[in-house]
Amino acid sequence: MSEDERSRQVPRLRDETPGASHVAHFNNAGCSLPPRPVIDAQIGYLEEESLIGGYEAAEKFASNASEFYTCGAEILGCMPEEIGFCQSATDAWRKVIYALPLGKGSTIAFDESIFGGNLLALIDGQARFGWQLRPVDLSESGTIDLSLLTRVLREESVDLVAVSHMPAQSGVLNPIAEIAQMTTKVGSLTLVDACQTLGQAPLDVKKQGIDGLIFTGRKYLRGPRGTGGYFVRRDLAADMTPLGPDIRVAEITNSALDWQLRSDVPRLEQWERSWSGFAGAAAALKYLSELDSDWIWARITTLAEMVVACLKPIKGVIVRRWAAEVGGIVVFDLPGRDLVAARDWLRAIGVNVMFAGPQNAPIEMLRRGERGWLRASVHYYNTEEDVERLAAAISDYLSAENR
């Protein structure tokens, strides 16, 4: 991409983002502002459904539905048949992890910054299947401690390593390719939570060597809420049996109640879904596939460093930035202030940030005694003026509170 093309990129993307002219949106790690093609896909589908009927609209849309799989495969570097649609990232995580060929008493290692919803699924698996859970400490730089993980893989019989590519409460980027190399050597599987990185950082599941990955529609992908998906390596998927299959993926073959899994559909999908959400998710993947992932990553990391530089000098603000934090999530504290009240004050003047409480990373945050952080997460459509507005708004809030 030439410098001239780069200079025109951001204004065009903002023009295609109606919300960008209404708010300074720094809650992209929670839910990004959708672009016009995603909005049009959702609304267009609902209008079609209202005119011709739900089943009829779904059948009519089916010819375009392949974009979810083909564009997802292009972005992730895999085959379309290795992609599946789910109702959320949590739904995808549970479906994948419960269907993996793990036996009773299997050992699962995971990073201490694991998201609370993902951890609850592991805890549930501990109760259901006797899984042994092995949290792995973070290094001083904020990533999973690779030296400790190496020792765990060598000394313990680990069946699966579940890792956050980027946690929900920091911009740390875990080295998933290196982790996958380590797990492959000992015959373990690698499952990656890419909720914060699909649409932010370049991904290539084949080159990175991972076995499974889950993602959400609403964060950096800029798709609808209530959508998500997964990648599972094709040969691994053949060994997976969904927990609670429905008629999308299985069929009862006789009156004796024998049943079998279908081979022509993604193994973990369900028949019922929000078709308007699915249409929006497909549009979001298509939109992302037409952008340069390296440019996106460079743009986001540059803006994140600008946020850090603008917030650090403000008296009454403490920015927490690990050495390995390079991504678009920046967290900060306002000691002595009610962080939820601060978030609401900023929101009222059109500056969106998020309160990231302990459930975003229960093990890490509860062990450190952290009450939570305000989280400012940038996307490529944010501008330098947005960042300056954020810093000025925080300064104004602190000044108002001191009066």
Side-chain angles (χ1 to χ4, degrees):
M1 184 184 296
S2 68
E3 287 301 319
D4 184 54
E5 288 173 323
R6 282 191 174 92
S7 67
R8 295 197 304 266
Q9 185 94 319
V10 174
R12 177 182 68 80
L13 293 169
R14 287 180 66 82
D15 285 345
E16 294 172 352
T17 306
S21 61
H22 290 268
V23 293
H25 191 69
F26 292 95
N27 191 16
N28 296 290
C31 189
S32 288
L33 299 175
R36 175 53 63 186
V38 172
I39 299 168
D40 290 345
Q42 281 189 275
I43 294 175
Y45 182 87
L46 288 172
E47 289 178 341
E48 186 75 9
E49 189 177 80
S50 72
L51 293 175
I52 68 172
Y55 281 25
E56 292 75 13
E59 289 181 13
K60 186 175 179 180
F61 174 72
S63 60
N64 296 323
S66 62
E67 286 184 346
F68 180 88
Y69 307 99
T70 56
C71 294
E74 180 182 346
I75 292 163
L76 291 175
C78 62
M79 296 177 288
E81 56 267 30
E82 295 176 310
I83 301 287
F85 175 78
C86 290
Q87 319 307 316
S88 68
T90 297
D91 182 41
W93 179 270
R94 287 178 177 273
K95 283 186 168 125
V96 170
I97 208 159
Y98 288 156
L100 286 171
L102 301 173
K104 288 188 178 295
S106 292
T107 298
I108 301 176
F110 53 92
D111 58 291
E112 278 200 339
S113 53
I114 186 173
F115 179 64
N118 294 352
L119 180 56
L120 283 170
L122 298 183
I123 295 170
D124 182 52
Q126 184 180 48
R128 288 174 182 266
F129 313 117
W131 290 345
Q132 304 298 309
L133 305 186
R134 181 60 165 89
V136 179
D137 294 347
L138 304 183
S139 67
E140 292 184 358
S141 67
T143 64
I144 188 171
D145 189 325
L146 293 181
S147 297
L148 177 56
L149 179 61
T150 299
R151 188 162 70 249
V152 169
L153 290 172
R154 184 177 63 245
E155 298 176 357
E156 303 178 29
S157 180
V158 175
D159 300 281
L160 171 70
V161 174
V163 62
S164 314
H165 195 192
M166 183 179 291
Q169 80 300 339
S170 78
V172 166
L173 195 70
N174 274 310
I176 56 175
E178 191 172 348
I179 292 168
Q181 285 183 338
M182 295 163 60
T183 60
T184 300
K185 285 180 181 178
V186 298
S188 301
L189 298 172
T190 306
L191 176 62
V192 174
D193 174 1
C195 279
Q196 300 295 358
T197 48
L198 183 65
Q200 178 180 181
L203 287 161
D204 191 321
V205 294
K206 298 300 184 184
K207 288 183 179 178
Q208 290 163 327
I210 63 179
D211 302 294
L213 173 148
I214 63 102
F215 61 89
T216 184
R218 63 182 161 87
K219 298 179 185 287
Y220 283 89
L221 180 55
R222 305 183 65 195
R225 296 195 69 174
T227 63
Y230 64 87
F231 149 79
V232 173
R233 191 164 39 82
R234 183 169 62 174
D235 57 335
L236 175 60
D239 295 328
M240 295 171 69
T241 300
L243 184 66
D246 80 351
I247 57 172
R248 165 71 172 159
V249 300
E251 55 188 3
I252 299 168
T253 56
N254 56 47
S255 59
L257 306 186
D258 295 320
W259 65 281
Q260 64 185 17
L261 289 168
R262 295 174 57 184
S263 59
D264 59 335
V265 295
R267 184 152 287 196
L268 304 179
E269 289 191 341
Q270 289 181 302
W271 185 82
E272 187 56 73
R273 65 183 62 185
S274 165
W275 280 90
S276 61
F278 183 50
L285 287 165
K286 185 174 187 295
Y287 192 83
L288 177 59
S289 72
E290 294 170 351
L291 298 175
D292 182 339
S293 61
D294 291 327
W295 174 83
I296 290 173
W297 179 238
R299 170 77 181 167
I300 288 174
T301 55
T302 299
L303 285 170
E305 289 308 312
M306 184 178 179
V307 171
V308 173
C310 286
L311 295 188
K312 273 190 171 181
I314 301 175
K315 186 177 180 180
V317 176
I318 295 179
V319 178
R320 200 279 308 272
R321 194 77 169 162
W322 295 94
E325 288 197 63
V326 293
I329 298 174
V330 178
V331 297
F332 58 98
D333 193 13
L334 308 176
R337 316 285 180 170
D338 183 328
L339 296 183
V340 174
R343 177 204 64 189
D344 293 345
W345 191 93
L346 292 168
R347 184 181 291 172
I349 62 169
V351 178
N352 293 342
V353 298
M354 185 61 185
F355 172 68
Q359 294 309 307
N360 281 272
I363 297 178
E364 176 193 351
M365 296 181 73
L366 293 174
R367 181 170 59 80
R368 297 175 188 274
E370 296 174 354
R371 62 172 181 153
W373 303 88
L374 286 179
R375 183 179 69 189
S377 46
V378 298
H379 213 320
Y380 55 67
Y381 59 73
N382 286 121
T383 63
E384 291 76 5
E385 291 76 17
D386 283 343
V387 176
E388 292 168 357
R389 182 178 170 188
L390 169 67
I394 293 170
S395 294
D396 290 346
Y397 170 75
L398 293 171
S399 297
E401 284 285 291
N402 288 332
R403 291 193 192 114

